[in-house]
């Protein structure tokens, strides 16, 4: 079973984490199932960028980006060449290392 190494994030995962998740599961679902409360304002429907992660290792092992995800990523804060929407990034058999960006663009939470 592949491991996801989550680099430390000040509020969501201050100590970092190493979790296991089966191949075929999205990074977002795996994080949520292990109490790492990554934002997912669109309920994982590929309609926002709040679940954006940067894949530091294992990027090539994930499923390919679809056009809709690529278009949305253009609006993500802190976009990098290995950025993915975690709700769309499906694990294969290889371990991955992910970093959750410090900020997200979430108009719903910003307007409260």
């Amino acid at each position: 079973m592949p491991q996801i190494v989550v680099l430390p994030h000040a509020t969501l995962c201050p100590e970092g984490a190493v979790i296991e998740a089966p191949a075929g599961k999205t990074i977002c679902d795996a994080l949520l199932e292990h109490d790492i409360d990554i934002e997912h304002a669109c309920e994982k429907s590929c309609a926002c960028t709040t679940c954006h992660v940067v894949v530091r290792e294992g990027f090539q092992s994930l499923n390919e980006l679809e056009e809709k995800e690529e278009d949305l990523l253009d609006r993500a804060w802190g976009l990098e060449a290995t950025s993915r929407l975690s709700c769309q990034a499906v694990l294969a058999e290889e371990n991955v290392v992910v970093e959750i960006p410090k900020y997200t663009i979430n108009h719903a939470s910003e307007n409260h």
Side-chain angles (χ1 to χ4, degrees), residues 55-63 65 81-84 94-96:
V55 183
R56 297 291 180 203
E57 292 179 26
F59 181 81
Q60 296 300 328
S61 71
L62 301 172
N63 61 313
L65 279 88
T82 58
S83 287
R84 290 296 305 262
E94 191 174 314
N95 296 342
V96 295

Side-chain angles (χ1 to χ4, degrees), residues 7-8 10-11 20 22 33 46 48 56 58 62 68 85 88 100:
L7 299 176
T11 55
E20 289 189 346
E33 287 173 9
C46 195
C48 74
R56 297 291 180 203
L62 301 172
K68 185 176 181 181
L85 297 180
Q88 301 301 303
I100 302 169

Side-chain angles (χ1 to χ4, degrees), residues 4-81:
I4 303 171
V5 176
V6 183
L7 299 176
H9 181 280
T11 55
L12 299 179
C13 190
E15 303 296 318
V18 177
I19 62 175
E20 289 189 346
K25 185 171 288 288
T26 66
I27 291 173
C28 185
D29 283 337
L31 296 178
L32 292 170
E33 287 173 9
H34 288 85
D35 299 321
I36 300 171
D37 294 324
I38 189 165
E39 287 190 64
H40 52 288
C42 71
E43 296 300 319
K44 304 180 274 185
S45 66
C46 195
C48 74
T49 63
T50 60
C51 71
H52 167 230
V53 295
V54 179
V55 183
R56 297 291 180 203
E57 292 179 26
F59 181 81
Q60 296 300 328
S61 71
L62 301 172
N63 61 313
E64 288 197 30
L65 279 88
E66 293 188 12
E67 188 174 337
K68 185 176 181 181
E69 180 182 1
E70 284 189 71
D71 291 345
L72 280 170
L73 279 169
D74 288 339
R75 296 186 243 158
W77 184 91
L79 181 67
E80 294 191 24

Side-chain angles (χ1 to χ4, degrees), residues 85-97:
L85 297 180
S86 65
C87 71
Q88 301 301 303
V90 179
L91 294 166
E93 296 296 331
E94 191 174 314
N95 296 342
V96 295
V97 176

